[in-house]
């Protein structure tokens, strides 16, 4: 069973631990600017939304790549950028209709979520369970809708940390 | 090393910006943020300088953990000589700006001199430039934020800005970053405006690397986060109610200063409490609180995101206030509410929004309004002075009008912008200012919590709860319960809290972690990030060193033992109700013990031995 | 069924792969007229700066890729098509029968009508063979004149500048990439390139190229530049000459219907040679961009095998370009639509620009400079015709918040 990242904006506090974990895993520094997952802030609405590649079946980025630099990871189903092949032409960045593959000017290549090879650091770092790595068929809109319907009409949406074991991170 | 090891020095008189290396020798003694920036300040300015003159300097500073995965590692502080007090000032803020500054590759920005024209500082990684503030000078923080964003077209820039109040010379203007986080106290925003600096705009994409032992750091920070999430205060109370979890607790303790500290309990407390912020309101069925929110890197998320009831008189026909923004923290709710006798949650939230919109410290503002109300009720000020407003306790309309006037620096708002000390002196009743060293008390009455009296009296930046929060022990039992009504042991308690706090404040993390963390939890995180063997002992010594250094600055600035005092009301007028009924604060018992515990002489001056022990030259 | 695909560019290669997917047992022939394995012209600039070798330009990296899929790759040129008998004639003299034919023959550079354009040292930069010739003359210090600052000219501009040549770019229109950027943003790209030391001449024509030490380029403003190398990049035209007499309608590109079928049954067209449906206008035109070629390839393969099961909603015209580090992009109706609204933000000092075009409460076009994060979402919102509601006003207030606008209108934010 493939797993996927489940993103639940209603549980996001905007702390950006996910962005730091992502950049730490990929670049060895804490650098949200180079994170593959981004938290978008909705100040007036009082909301935050983490968002990253959904590893969509259409794989617009992969198909648009002129040099075959994006491939499917057989183990996780993620679409991975092969740094050694990517020429940095950026066609994938305009082709992806979700805006989740981006050009990294410091490497001259594009970057996108690769699920950390099956151990996504963003999910590990998220203190509130807004990002979880779950069976693929239980993600997405359905869960969000269920939440929206079940949310109590009255009262605020307060988000508390979830229980979890101490996470371990590999050396980047 | 988690330091960026670089300082951005901005000479405003010359219009120059330059990079210089961070003094790493000092970094070993003062760590970062509050400690290290204070060291720079005391080395670089004359303690007797005019806080609003070009000789004062203004330092934006991060700590070594700022911009890392350490929980709450997003803090920055602004260090300067404060205009409200004339003492050393250090105001700490969260949000995202501090981390962004670090990501851009800077530990600190030192502003010196005064710009001939209004400017703002734009930082994009290594590149920094002073740009004309035409078009944003004269605007509120919120308006300027929009204009700056439209100009720079980068949704990820972070902005710290001063409002109209600072430009108008209000003595307690804050620097607001990320629209509603504040380096709030002592008038640091006033200093910024006096230098003709409107904003600091920052974009950093280099990240924070340089971690001494990344794997040990990840492990230490993970362990720290576990402690935070399993603690009842940081894992449940703060996310649910924010600091407002305290409103009812402190009221029941009989330590909620009310109506300019005439009383110690407020009947309307429950109506302005954290619990009340959860209650659906009649007009639209929505609660005041929309959600909680975190600052950068914070796994607690105590921030309040609130709305005002659209039908409330304060925002009728003002749709710009209908959206969500930063809601009431406990201190703000107390100052805008209990201190003024106003129990209208929406009016308080509105006043809080305006404090953020135009950069005001809501504690000093609310306490000053409370003082003005007492002056008015005593007949010391009249409708002629106030421009026709009846400054009566409990009037929500007075509060909302007052905040608008101070924000804009108009009419009686100019008087209110003086702060309570100058206001009460101007109108002939200096005893009615509830302040120490010119800075107003926050929300804990020292008659009901004795240790806080000593903490206020000895705080280096004037009355403040964030310099030695003995409430944790005396009320909440952290790390262990002490009796709030006795003075025994409080001198040592205050010293211990003051020193530990200075260490927390020098690291780049939030003091609120100290509800759950001791320095034993912090030391491994700093030690994994920074060279230098950072043990609990080293951090405690650092805290004590910082405290003594700040104290010496104040002594050189002209403060004496007479300034380590409380307003007469608190040591002569007994609490009228609650558990502390009949009590006054017994500062006179605690202060000598405190001086002794600190290794200071009877006049509160650090002895040669103490100075030598702490390595203060 | 026997499928023949003419043209080994992205459209053709995607088509043969998809044909195999839809028709596991059919015969599939891919015909290309260049000697190299199927490669990407998009990658040539990176080959010029030696960031990749020739193999790095190949569309598929595994040499056994086509064989493994049972696809015959034929190196030849199609001379004509006998649509009545469903046969193609090859230069080599043989012919091949097809059940379904896809013409993905691409385009060729237009040689500008300038005297001296056929001199040695004057090249197009279109094929790998061109690139090999150009590399030899890209010596640091050499003088190079690039004629044409359209998209193709601009993608090789960076490679030329990076190689240390003295570069002059000449463009007849008043700005760079005139088909992708308006006066303001196209002018900003010119300023950027000028600041980087490129001699950019806009609103200027080349009058003549003359043989002299080794070349002399004369402009219509009276100036002249000595050059070691002249590269012309003045546009491309669909390769359709070989269709003469085939009965396949051609009108500035091969005419196709919404199933990408030509005027002749069982013959399809895709990519740079096809006048496909434009998503934004609903009309038919040649887009000549990589993503469109790929989508055409996919759609035609499906329709060739399964009949006309999937109509073409049209492709969003879009481009992304990196000129010496300044990244520009444009989408759909970037020039705006009648009766629409727009928002534009210009920061000339820091070379940032964003322009959104609305029709009703939908984004129909966009262009930007210096914006690299999440730009794809502009395509997404244009293509999904996302209704913005009150986010239109928010975008007019701050057009950089496109990702937020998308999320707010497509996700349950709680």
């Amino acid at each position: 069973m493939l797993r996927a990242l489940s993103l639940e904006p209603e549980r996001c506090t905007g702390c950006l631990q996910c962005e730091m974990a992502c950049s730490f895993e990929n670049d060895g520094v804490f650098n949200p600017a180079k994170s593959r997952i981004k938290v978008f802030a909705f100040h007036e609405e009082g909301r935050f939304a983490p968002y990253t590649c959904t590893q969509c079946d259409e794989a617009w980025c992969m198909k648009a790549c002129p040099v075959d630099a994006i491939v499917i990871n057989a183990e996780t189903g993620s679409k991975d950028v092969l740094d050694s092949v990517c020429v940095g032409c950026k066609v994938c960045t305009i082709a992806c209709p979700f805006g989740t593959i981006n050009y990294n000017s410091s490497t001259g290549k594009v970057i996108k979520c690769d699920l950390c090879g099956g151990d996504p650091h963003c999910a590990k770092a998220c203190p509130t369970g807004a990002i979880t790595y779950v069976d693929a068929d239980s993600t997405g809109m359905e869960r969000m809708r269920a939440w929206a319907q079940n949310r109590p009409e009255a009262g605020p949406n307060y988000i508390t940390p979830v229980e979890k074991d101490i996470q371990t991170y590999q050396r980047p | 090393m988690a330091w960026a090891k670089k300082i951005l020095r901005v000479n405003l008189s010359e219009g120059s910006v330059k990079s210089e290396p961070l003094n790493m020798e000092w970094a070993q003694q003062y760590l970062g943020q509050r400690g290290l920036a204070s060291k720079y300040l005391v080395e670089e300015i004359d303690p007797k300088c005019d806080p609003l003159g070009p000789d004062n300097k203004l330092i934006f500073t991060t700590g070594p953990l700022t911009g890392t995965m350490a929980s709450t590692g997003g803090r920055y502080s602004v260090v300067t000589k404060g205009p409200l007090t004339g003492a050393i000032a250090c105001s700490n803020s969260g949000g995202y700006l501090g981390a962004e500054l670090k990501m851009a590759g800077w530990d600190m920005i030192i502003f010196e001199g005064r710009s001939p024209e209004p400017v703002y500082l734009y930082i994009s990684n290594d590149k920094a430039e002073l740009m004309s503030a035409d078009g944003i000078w004269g605007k509120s923080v919120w308006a300027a934020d929009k204009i700056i964003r439209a100009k720079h077209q980068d949704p990820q820039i972070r902005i710290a800005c001063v409002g109209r109040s600072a430009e108008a010379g209000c003595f307690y203007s804050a620097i607001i970053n990320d629209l509603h986080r504040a380096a709030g106290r002592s008038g640091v925003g006033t200093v910024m405006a006096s230098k003709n600096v409107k904003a600091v705009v920052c974009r950093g994409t280099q990240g924070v690397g340089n971690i001494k032992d990344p794997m040990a750091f990840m492990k230490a920070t993970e362990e720290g986060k576990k402690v935070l999430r399993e603690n009842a205060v940081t894992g449940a109370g703060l996310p649910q109610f924010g600091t407002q979890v305290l409103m009812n607790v402190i009221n029941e303790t009989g330590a909620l200063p009310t109506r300019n500290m005439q009383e110690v309990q407020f009947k309307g407390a429950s109506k302005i409490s954290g619990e009340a912020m959860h209650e659906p309101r009649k007009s639209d069925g929505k609660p005041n609180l929309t959600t909680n929110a975190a600052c950068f890197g914070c796994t607690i998320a105590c921030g309040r995101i609130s709305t005002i009831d659209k039908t409330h008189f304060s925002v009728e026909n003002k749709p710009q206030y209908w959206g969500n923004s930063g809601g009431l923290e406990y201190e703000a709710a107390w100052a805008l509410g209990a201190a003024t006798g106003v129990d209208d949650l929406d009016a308080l939230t509105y006043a809080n929004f305006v404090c953020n919109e135009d950069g005001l410290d809501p504690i000093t503002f609310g306490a000053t309004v409370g003082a003005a109300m007492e002056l008015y009720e005593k007949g010391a000020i009249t409708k002629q002075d106030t421009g026709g407003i009846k400054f009566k306790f409990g009037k929500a309309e007075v509060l909302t009008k007052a905040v608008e006037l101070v924000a804009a620096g108009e009419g009686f708002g100019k008087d209110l912008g003086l702060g309570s000390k100058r206001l009460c002196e101007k109108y002939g009743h200096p005893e009615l200012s509830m302040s120490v060293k010119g800075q107003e008390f926050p929300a804990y009455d020292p008659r009901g919590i004795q240790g806080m009296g000593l903490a206020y009296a000895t705080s280096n930046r004037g009355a403040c709860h964030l310099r030695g929060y003995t409430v944790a022990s005396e009320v909440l039992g952290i790390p262990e319960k002490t009796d709030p009504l006795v003075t025994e042991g409080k001198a040592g308690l205050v010293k211990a809290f003051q020193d530990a706090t200075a260490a927390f404040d020098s690291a780049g993390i939030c003091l609120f972690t100290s509800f759950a963390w001791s320095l034993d939890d912090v030391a491994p995180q700093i030690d994994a990030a920074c060279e230098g063997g950072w043990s609990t002992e080293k951090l405690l010594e650092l805290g004590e060193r910082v405290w003594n250094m700040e104290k010496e600055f104040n002594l050189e600035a002209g403060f004496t033992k007479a300034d380590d005092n409380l307003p007469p009301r608190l040591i002569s007028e007994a609490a009228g109700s609650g558990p502390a009924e009949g009590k006054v604060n017994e500062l006179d018992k605690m202060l000598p013990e405190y001086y002794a515990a600190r290794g200071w002489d009877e006049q509160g001056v650090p002895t040669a031995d103490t100075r030598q022990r702490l390595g203060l030259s | 069924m026997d499928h023949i695909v003419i043209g080994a560019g992205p459209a053709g290669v995607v088509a043969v792969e998809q044909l195999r997917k839809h028709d596991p047992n059919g015969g599939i022939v891919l015909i290309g007229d260049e000697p190299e394995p199927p490669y990407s012209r998009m990658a040539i600039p990176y080959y010029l700066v030696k960031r990749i070798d020739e193999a790095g330009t190949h569309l598929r990296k595994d040499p056994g890729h086509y064989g493994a899929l049972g696809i015959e790759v034929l190196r030849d040129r199609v001379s004509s098509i006998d649509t009545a008998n469903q046969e193609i004639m090859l230069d080599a003299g043989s012919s091949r029968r097809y059940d379904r034919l896809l013409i993905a023959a691409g385009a060729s550079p237009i040689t500008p009508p300038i005297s001296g354009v056929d001199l040695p040292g004057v090249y197009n930069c279109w094929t790998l063979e061109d690139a090999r010739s150009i590399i030899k003359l890209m010596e640091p210090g050499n003088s190079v004149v690039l004629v044409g600052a359209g998209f193709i000219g601009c993608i090789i501009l960076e490679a030329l500048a990076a190689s240390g040549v003295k570069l002059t770019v000449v463009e007849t229109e008043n700005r760079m990439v005139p088909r992708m950027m308006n006066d303001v943003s196209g002018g900003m790209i010119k300023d950027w390139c000028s600041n980087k030391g490129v001699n950019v001449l806009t609103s200027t024509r080349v009058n003549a190229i003359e043989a002299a030490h080794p070349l002399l380029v004369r402009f219509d403003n009276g100036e002249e530049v000595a050059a070691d190398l002249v590269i012309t990049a003045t546009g491309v035209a669909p390769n359709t000459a070989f269709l003469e007499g085939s009965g396949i309608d051609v009108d500035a590109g091969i005419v196709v219907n919404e199933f990408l079928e030509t005027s002749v049954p069982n013959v399809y067209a895709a990519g740079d040679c096809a006048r496909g449906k434009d998503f934004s206008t609903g009309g038919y035109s040649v887009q000549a961009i990589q993503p469109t070629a790929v989508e055409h390839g996919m759609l035609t393969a499906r329709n060739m095998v399964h009949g006309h099961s999937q109509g073409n909603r049209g492709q969003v015209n879009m481009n992304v370009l990196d000129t010496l580090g300044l990244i520009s992009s444009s989408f759909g109706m970037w020039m705006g639509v009648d009766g629409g609204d727009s928002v534009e933000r210009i920061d000339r000092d820091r070379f940032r620009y964003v322009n959104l075009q609305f029709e009703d409460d939908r984004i129909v076009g966009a262009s930007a400079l210096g914006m690299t994060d999440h730009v794809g979402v502009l395509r997404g919102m244009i293509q999904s015709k996302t209704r913005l509601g009150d986010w239109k006003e928010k975008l007019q207030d701050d057009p950089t918040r496109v990702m937020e606008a998308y999320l707010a209108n497509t996700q349950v934010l709680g």
Side-chain angles (χ1 to χ4, degrees), chain B residues 181-199:
Chain B
R181 306 306 312 183
R185 300 221 71 190
S186 314
V188 295
T190 317
V191 176
M192 185 154 143
S194 78
K195 297 191 170 304
N196 266 331
V197 176
K198 180 69 177 177

Side-chain angles (χ1 to χ4, degrees), chain A residues 13-15 17 30-31 44 157 159, chain B residues 96 205 208 291-292 294 297 324:
Chain A
T13 64
C15 75
Q17 284 278 344
F30 303 117
N31 191 1
E44 273 182 44
N157 170 52
I159 306 157
Chain B
Y96 299 93
T205 62
V208 176
T291 186
N292 58 327
N324 281 277

Side-chain angles (χ1 to χ4, degrees), chain A:
Chain A
M1 164 65 76
L2 285 182
R3 295 208 286 168
L5 285 173
S6 167
L7 306 174
E8 297 175 64
E10 66 279 6
R11 292 208 55 79
C12 179
T13 64
C15 75
L16 311 192
Q17 284 278 344
C18 55
E19 297 187 6
M20 282 189 281
C22 177
S23 55
F24 179 76
E25 152 71 7
N26 286 291
D27 303 318
V29 292
F30 303 117
N31 191 1
K34 298 287 156 67
S35 173
R36 281 81 169 146
I37 188 165
K38 285 302 291 177
V39 174
F40 293 89
F42 297 83
H43 179 255
E44 273 182 44
E45 297 80 2
R47 288 287 176 264
F48 297 95
Y51 200 64
T52 189
C53 173
T54 59
Q55 315 296 345
C56 71
D57 291 340
E58 293 85 354
W60 305 86
C61 61
M62 186 172 86
K63 288 172 185 158
C65 178
V67 293
D68 222 10
I70 303 175
V71 296
I72 296 180
N73 182 316
E75 269 179 51
T76 65
S78 64
K79 282 75 186 175
D80 297 352
V81 178
L82 302 176
D83 266 3
S84 60
V85 181
C86 173
V87 295
C89 76
K90 312 167 196 70
V91 168
C92 55
T93 70
I94 57 168
C96 168
F98 309 106
T100 52
I101 183 164
N102 293 313
Y103 180 64
N104 179 358
S105 59
S106 47
T107 60
K109 315 269 179 188
V110 294
I111 52 176
K112 72 178 288 296
C113 173
D114 62 359
L115 297 173
C116 296
D119 181 25
H121 282 33
C122 54
K124 285 163 73 154
C126 179
T128 57
I131 306 166
T132 48
Y133 192 48
V134 298
D135 288 345
D137 61 0
S138 62
T139 63
M141 296 297 278
E142 282 314 309
R143 278 174 54 163
M144 290 187 216
R145 283 206 189 92
W147 176 86
Q149 281 161 9
N150 294 335
R151 184 180 161 192
E153 274 306 301
N157 170 52
Y158 65 84
I159 306 157
T160 51
V162 291
E163 275 307 308
K164 56 161 82 174
D165 295 331
I166 288 191
Q167 307 291 304
T168 52
Y169 294 83
Q170 292 98 39
R171 189 166 293 277

Side-chain angles (χ1 to χ4, degrees), chain C residues 116-124 137 147 209 215 228-232:
Chain C
V117 77
D118 49 355
L119 286 168
V122 182
Y123 296 96
N124 292 305
L137 293 165
V147 184
I209 306 170
L215 296 164
D228 301 286
L229 168 65
V230 175
I231 299 171
T232 59

Side-chain angles (χ1 to χ4, degrees), chain C residues 92-108:
Chain C
S94 56
S95 66
R96 293 260 187 159
R97 236 207 113 262
Y98 63 81
D99 295 308
R100 299 284 184 275
L101 175 67
L102 172 61
I103 304 166
S108 293

Side-chain angles (χ1 to χ4, degrees), chain C residues 218-241:
Chain C
R218 293 187 186 281
F219 304 112
D220 64 354
N221 61 7
E223 288 175 34
E224 54 190 43
V225 170
D228 301 286
L229 168 65
V230 175
I231 299 171
T232 59
T234 53
V236 296
N239 289 326
T240 55

Side-chain angles (χ1 to χ4, degrees), chain B residues 246-256 264-267 269:
Chain B
L246 289 165
M247 182 62 76
N248 288 324
V249 174
I250 300 299
N251 194 41
E252 283 156 25
T253 305
L256 190 71
V264 296
Q265 288 185 309
F266 181 43
K267 272 209 184 73

Side-chain angles (χ1 to χ4, degrees), chain B residues 47-48 81 86-88 552-559:
Chain B
K48 292 190 166 59
K81 179 174 175 177
I88 194 164
E552 292 196 332
F553 177 93
N554 287 349
L555 290 170
E556 287 174 40
F559 288 94

